[in-house]
Amino acid sequence: MRLAVITGGSSGIGAATARLLTARGWQCVLLARGAELLEKVAAEIQAEAEVCDVSDRAQVDEVAARIAERHPAVGLLVNNAGYTGRRGFLELQPEEIENIVDTVYLGSVWCTRAFLPLLEAARPADVVNVVSVAGTFAHGASGPYSASKHAQLAFSRSIRTELAGRGVRVHTVNPGPVETPGFPQRHLLSRRVGSRLVLQPERIAETIVRAVERDRAEVVVPRYLRVAGAVQALAPGTIARLATRARGRL
Ligand SMILES: NC(=O)c1ccc[n+]([C@@H]2O[C@H](COP(=O)([O-])OP(=O)(O)OC[C@H]3O[C@@H](n4cnc5c(N)ncnc54)[C@H](OP(=O)(O)O)[C@@H]3O)[C@@H](O)[C@H]2O)c1
């Protein structure tokens, strides 16, 4: 049975991914900070639970060492832990901005580095970085989160190249809006058009598994949101003007 480590495995996309992987015959180890929910989800799917704050490099190294004592190899690492501060650069406290960067961006870096020996021991192995459309398109809302997702996306693209030839394939999954406990989509769900944009976490879990099975470098889900990053790259001034106007109407 192959072993998968899923950060943020106690809720939303991480929990849905763990359930799907378990159904496909994987043994899962779930990481999160809150023990209660983590252990509940782990018990439901006979997974192992490890309390760990991925923004803390020492904790990540300790968890990887503990897992290495029990398992010789890890076939899949899903870097999924994350949260959004929901506010802008001037609204959040400096510590909150640091924590978002440390969790969303650096958490993926620390986990990938810490689990690399176990991933290489499982060759061929896979890493999935759950990034976001917010990592391809920035429009002012939740700026620190979006900036951290941009950094995480650059990390994911870079490390795919760095690990090529070492038997560890890296995949990026960029979801649009998904209804989860940490990212309630009330503002979209309350509108008829908006509600059609919102996906369920199970859809992202399927995308994650498919990205591994088909060795996809980068996937945006839903696919049409690929246009967001492309349009901003081509016309950043126009997007900035439209975003400023929309902000003025709020
Ligand atoms: N939902 C969306 O609309 C959406 C869209 C695009 C991308 N994403 C990305 O998808 C990923 C999963 O989000 P979700 O929507 O499933 O949110 P969620 O339901 O809130 O789940 C987040 C998970 O991450 C864990 N977590 C948060 N901070 C952590 C830390 N420092 N160390 C370890 N675990 C931590 C949480 O558990 P604890 O709090 O107990 O630690 C929880 O298990 C995130 O990276 C998010 O940015 C979400």
Side-chain angles (χ1 to χ4, degrees):
M1 192 183 273
R2 301 200 86 204
L3 190 76
V5 173
I6 301 147
T7 73
S10 65
S11 176
I13 294 169
T17 304
R19 289 187 185 104
L20 183 59
L21 287 169
T22 304
R24 301 270 182 117
W26 288 78
Q27 169 69 34
C28 293
V29 184
L30 314 183
L31 272 55
R33 292 165 305 174
E36 199 178 327
L37 190 55
L38 181 68
E39 275 156 20
K40 186 165 169 259
V41 176
E44 176 199 322
I45 56 173
Q46 279 92 53
E48 295 171 24
E50 288 283 357
V51 172
C52 174
D53 182 342
V54 299
S55 71
D56 183 331
R57 186 155 48 91
Q59 280 191 39
V60 171
D61 289 343
E62 281 163 25
V63 158
R66 275 204 301 277
I67 293 173
E69 284 168 12
R70 304 195 297 268
H71 300 282
V74 170
L76 171 63
L77 168 66
V78 183
N79 284 317
N80 164 77
Y83 76 99
T84 165
R86 294 198 168 277
R87 278 169 289 156
F89 284 101
L90 305 182
E91 296 154 341
L92 286 173
Q93 293 302 313
E95 296 75 19
E96 291 176 292
I97 295 175
E98 282 171 348
N99 197 35
I100 292 169
V101 174
D102 288 346
T103 303
V104 168
Y105 161 45
L106 288 174
S108 302
V109 178
W110 305 146
C111 287
T112 304
R113 287 175 60 106
F115 285 103
L116 190 55
L118 286 170
L119 289 161
E120 289 189 298
R123 264 186 302 237
D126 296 272
V127 176
V128 177
N129 293 308
V130 181
V131 186
S132 175
V133 170
T136 69
F137 182 85
H139 57 94
S142 303
Y145 171 74
S146 184
S148 304
K149 284 292 180 187
H150 275 69
Q152 190 196 13
L153 177 60
F155 160 70
S156 194
R157 289 172 172 169
S158 304
I159 198 74
R160 178 171 170 99
T161 309
E162 235 181 305
L163 289 178
R166 289 175 67 163
V168 182
R169 304 177 310 177
V170 179
H171 320 275
T172 306
V173 172
N174 293 323
V178 185
E179 176 65 11
T180 64
F183 293 71
Q185 305 290 343
R186 279 184 291 271
H187 56 298
L188 287 173
L189 288 171
S190 62
R191 298 180 200 153
R192 200 154 55 89
V193 179
S195 64
R196 293 203 200 116
L197 292 173
V198 178
L199 301 178
Q200 295 304 313
E202 290 73 21
R203 168 87 184 275
I204 313 304
E206 283 162 20
T207 305
I208 289 169
V209 171
R210 213 173 312 125
V212 171
E213 288 172 352
R214 299 185 185 172
D215 189 21
R216 299 288 303 276
E218 200 165 317
V219 188
V220 177
V221 55
R223 283 189 79 207
Y224 62 81
L225 283 180
R226 281 184 305 176
V227 78
V231 167
Q232 187 159 50
L234 291 170
T238 307
I239 296 297
R241 268 196 305 282
L242 292 173
T244 308
R245 237 181 270 159
R247 195 177 164 84
R249 282 200 298 271
L250 290 178

